[in-house]
Amino acid sequence: MERLLVLRLESIGVVAEALLNGVPLARTSAARHVVTLPIHEYTKAGGNELELVIEPPPPGATAAPEPRISDGKCGASVQLLLPRVGQVAHPDNARTLARIDWAPPLDEVTELPATLRQLADLKISFPRWRWLDAPVVAQPSDVLGAAATYLQGLVLGLQRGDPEPLVLASRMRLEELAQAYQRSLADDVGRLRLQMQQWHAKKPLKPAMPKADTLRLRPLAGGRLLECLGPDGGPALHSELADGGRVEWPVRLALIEGRFYVLR
């Protein structure tokens, strides 16, 4: 693979979030002003909708726009870059395929949160990913109980230090990631199993059991994916580690013919 399609999000003085095709991929914070990540598995041939959200609410929450006077020092940008593999994903040494900038001048009144959009025509040859054609879930609240039950099965495996339930549930996702980045599926699965076993050996994994009254299902990609969030707005599946850190397993579900699949 000679090229790597990368999203780069930057902000100063504000929090910003970047979405591609309706899926949130990166968010800055007071401590992290630049986020870069490869995005092959979220793209499609032709038109791709790139979004930049300024001062987004916490994941899964909503917020009414409020007027704010600019101090002339805040701004944000999101770019789709095509650097060569091994090079830093920076506009100075990469081809820019799309870009959205936001930088209000001094004393300009803006309403935040605000969303800016751009359609990026990408000449790519990736396959059409399964999540793009998943059925839309019109009312995520109607499947909260079923989703909680599904996640509980994954948690039981994690609590035993058994990676197989998560590996099996994520099989389609893992297959497409391996295809997207020209990697070996067996190697990816092997690394996932080994990492979980190592974590569990140092300190047993203890992810909280999801419940229907605490689980949040955030609709993404027009409702084709449901992001599973906990009460704090973070991934519903997470556990403390022996070193005091935290491991998270983001889960974005599709509901196809009455069955859940982890597609992203």
Side-chain angles (χ1 to χ4, degrees), residues 6-48:
V6 173
L7 180 145
R8 180 182 175 92
L9 175 67
E10 302 179 63
S11 71
I12 182 169
V14 292
V15 173
E17 185 175 56
L19 297 86
L20 186 64
N21 295 320
V23 182
L25 299 182
R27 181 183 285 240
T28 59
S29 66
R32 191 179 186 190
H33 301 287
V34 179
V35 182
T36 60
L37 74 160
I39 55 170
H40 292 193
E41 69 271 32
Y42 296 102
T43 61
K44 58 182 179 178
N48 289 255

Side-chain angles (χ1 to χ4, degrees), residues 156-194:
L156 287 174
L158 294 171
Q159 290 181 347
R160 295 193 300 264
D162 178 8
E164 297 314 309
L166 184 60
V167 169
L168 182 61
S170 307
R171 188 74 184 186
M172 291 184 181
R173 172 182 177 271
L174 293 169
E175 287 176 354
E176 291 192 337
L177 285 176
Q179 191 172 14
Y181 298 103
Q182 299 179 17
R183 301 192 306 242
S184 163
L185 174 61
D187 289 347
D188 282 359
V189 172
R191 281 191 293 269
L192 175 60
R193 287 175 173 144
L194 179 60

Side-chain angles (χ1 to χ4, degrees), residues 40-261:
H40 292 193
E41 69 271 32
Y42 296 102
T43 61
K44 58 182 179 178
N48 289 255
E49 186 175 55
L50 181 64
E51 297 179 63
L52 174 64
V53 184
I54 312 300
E55 292 291 358
T62 58
E66 295 183 359
R68 187 179 303 187
I69 300 175
S70 172
D71 62 3
K73 300 177 181 178
C74 59
S77 71
V78 60
Q79 301 169 74
L80 298 185
L81 303 175
L82 196 63
R84 291 191 179 277
V85 173
Q87 290 187 334
V88 176
H90 190 277
D92 290 346
N93 54 21
R95 180 183 171 194
T96 300
L97 303 181
R99 177 170 186 154
I100 301 175
D101 294 301
W102 178 85
L106 178 67
D107 293 335
E108 180 176 289
V109 178
T110 59
E111 287 194 339
L112 302 178
T115 301
L116 293 81
R117 296 180 175 88
Q118 182 183 121
L119 194 64
D121 187 20
L122 301 181
K123 308 297 183 182
I124 58 177
S125 58
F126 298 132
R128 186 169 177 84
W129 308 121
R130 293 181 178 99
W131 67 269
L132 289 164
D133 298 311
V136 172
V137 179
Q139 294 293 336
S141 58
D142 292 345
V143 299
L144 262 174
T149 299
Y150 179 81
L151 294 176
Q152 288 165 10
L154 305 185
V155 167
L156 287 174
L158 294 171
Q159 290 181 347
R160 295 193 300 264
D162 178 8
E164 297 314 309
L166 184 60
V167 169
L168 182 61
S170 307
R171 188 74 184 186
M172 291 184 181
R173 172 182 177 271
L174 293 169
E175 287 176 354
E176 291 192 337
L177 285 176
Q179 191 172 14
Y181 298 103
Q182 299 179 17
R183 301 192 306 242
S184 163
L185 174 61
D187 289 347
D188 282 359
V189 172
R191 281 191 293 269
L192 175 60
R193 287 175 173 144
L194 179 60
Q195 182 67 83
M196 287 182 57
Q197 291 164 355
Q198 290 175 338
W199 283 329
H200 193 74
K202 294 178 180 178
K203 179 182 179 180
L205 298 171
K206 295 293 183 182
M209 190 65 71
K211 300 178 182 178
D213 59 349
T214 58
L215 177 66
R216 299 183 192 177
L217 295 179
R218 180 188 186 187
L220 309 179
R224 290 179 173 80
L225 293 175
L226 301 176
E227 185 173 29
C228 300
L229 303 174
D232 63 353
L237 300 188
H238 63 270
S239 180
E240 302 301 317
L241 296 177
D243 62 3
R246 167 167 153 155
V247 59
E248 299 178 338
W249 296 276
V251 172
R252 290 161 173 170
L253 298 173
L255 184 60
I256 303 172
E257 296 181 352
R259 294 186 61 184
F260 288 110
Y261 297 88

